Amino acid sequence: MDTYESVLLVKNEVFVFKIPPKTTNRGYRAADWNLQEPQWTGRMRLVAKGDELVMKLEDKASGELFAKCPIDKYPGVALEAVTDSSRYFVVRIQDDNGRSAYIGLGFGDRSDSFDLNVSLQDHFKYIKKGQETDEGSQQQLDLSFKEGETIKINMKITKKDGSEASRPRRTGGGSVGLLPPPPGGSKLPPPPSPQHVPTPATAGTEWGDFNSAGATSQKPSTPANQQNWVQF
């Protein structure tokens, strides 16, 4: 699919100056230029094509290209503001063979330079937002397993009646629950019924007391002919 050009800004009058070589790291100063005698006067168009942005300096009448400046970021080396004025910039122009040179660019009004700043900032904000959106979409669509990545599945088995089946759990210490007796196995006899054990006789009596609870204790009388029997 072809990408169409989009004109972001047009200024019908700009001034081009010849600038001296930069001798320090302080930046460029417009006061060092011959501002009363510009080298060229013409029209400026800021044109975007996809992610590419180019400033084109053209003749106002014929539209013939005088110079172009590809801008990859702003602020940057392609377009740099001077230190002593908001109306002037240093522009790196390039030809089709890749050769470059630096020229001075100025506007007659501060509002024109303000429009240029806003157009450049909006363009690169739009490009950055589009790149972040594309990266987010790729991360959402990438569902493949990475190297060493595993997945854990928790499965529940249900019975025919819809209830969940569960395995018996082991109690602490590793002991195993008792299994039920096999069908048809022998049964143990019932335990013997408890028998009444008489209370042993106390000293001084021949027979033990068999009085029920709440009854008055009485000593049975012993016939005379049985007094010589052995006591039990």
Side-chain angles (χ1 to χ4, degrees), residues 157-165:
I157 303 175
T158 58
K159 297 180 180 180
K160 292 183 178 180
D161 57 358
S163 61
E164 296 181 359

Side-chain angles (χ1 to χ4, degrees), residues 13-163:
E13 187 177 58
V14 295
F15 307 99
V16 172
F17 303 92
K18 184 178 180 180
I19 60 176
K22 187 177 181 181
T23 57
T24 64
N25 294 327
R26 299 177 184 177
Y28 293 94
R29 297 176 68 253
D32 297 335
W33 309 344
N34 188 5
L35 299 179
Q36 288 73 27
E37 297 181 3
Q39 299 291 319
W40 181 86
T41 303
R43 178 181 66 188
M44 184 212 73
R45 289 197 309 141
L46 193 63
V47 180
K49 186 176 182 180
D51 293 345
E52 298 178 357
L53 183 66
V54 180
M55 175 187 288
K56 294 183 178 182
L57 304 178
E58 303 168 339
D59 184 82
K60 289 189 291 185
S62 64
E64 181 182 0
L65 181 66
F66 170 75
K68 63 181 179 179
C69 170
I71 305 174
D72 54 351
K73 65 179 181 178
Y74 181 75
V77 295
L79 187 66
E80 181 181 353
V82 298
T83 60
D84 58 344
S85 176
S86 61
R87 293 189 295 124
Y88 297 94
F89 299 86
V90 176
V91 179
R92 185 184 64 181
I93 58 176
Q94 289 183 347
D95 61 10
D96 295 336
N97 296 324
R99 294 177 298 181
S100 61
Y102 290 90
I103 61 173
L105 180 72
F107 297 94
D109 194 277
R110 286 186 176 85
S111 63
D112 294 336
S113 61
F114 177 80
D115 293 341
L116 176 61
N117 277 295
V118 172
S119 299
L120 291 170
Q121 292 173 4
D122 289 346
H123 170 77
F124 287 107
K125 285 180 180 178
Y126 175 79
I127 296 300
K128 183 179 180 180
K129 185 177 180 180
Q131 292 174 349
E132 292 176 351
T133 302
D134 293 341
E135 291 176 359
S137 300
Q138 292 177 0
Q139 292 177 359
Q140 292 178 0
L141 295 176
D142 188 8
L143 302 178
S144 60
F145 284 97
K146 305 300 185 295
E147 183 178 356
E149 186 176 4
T150 60
I151 186 172
K152 183 178 180 181
I153 301 176
N154 186 13
M155 299 182 64
K156 293 183 179 180
I157 303 175
T158 58
K159 297 180 180 180
K160 292 183 178 180
D161 57 358
S163 61

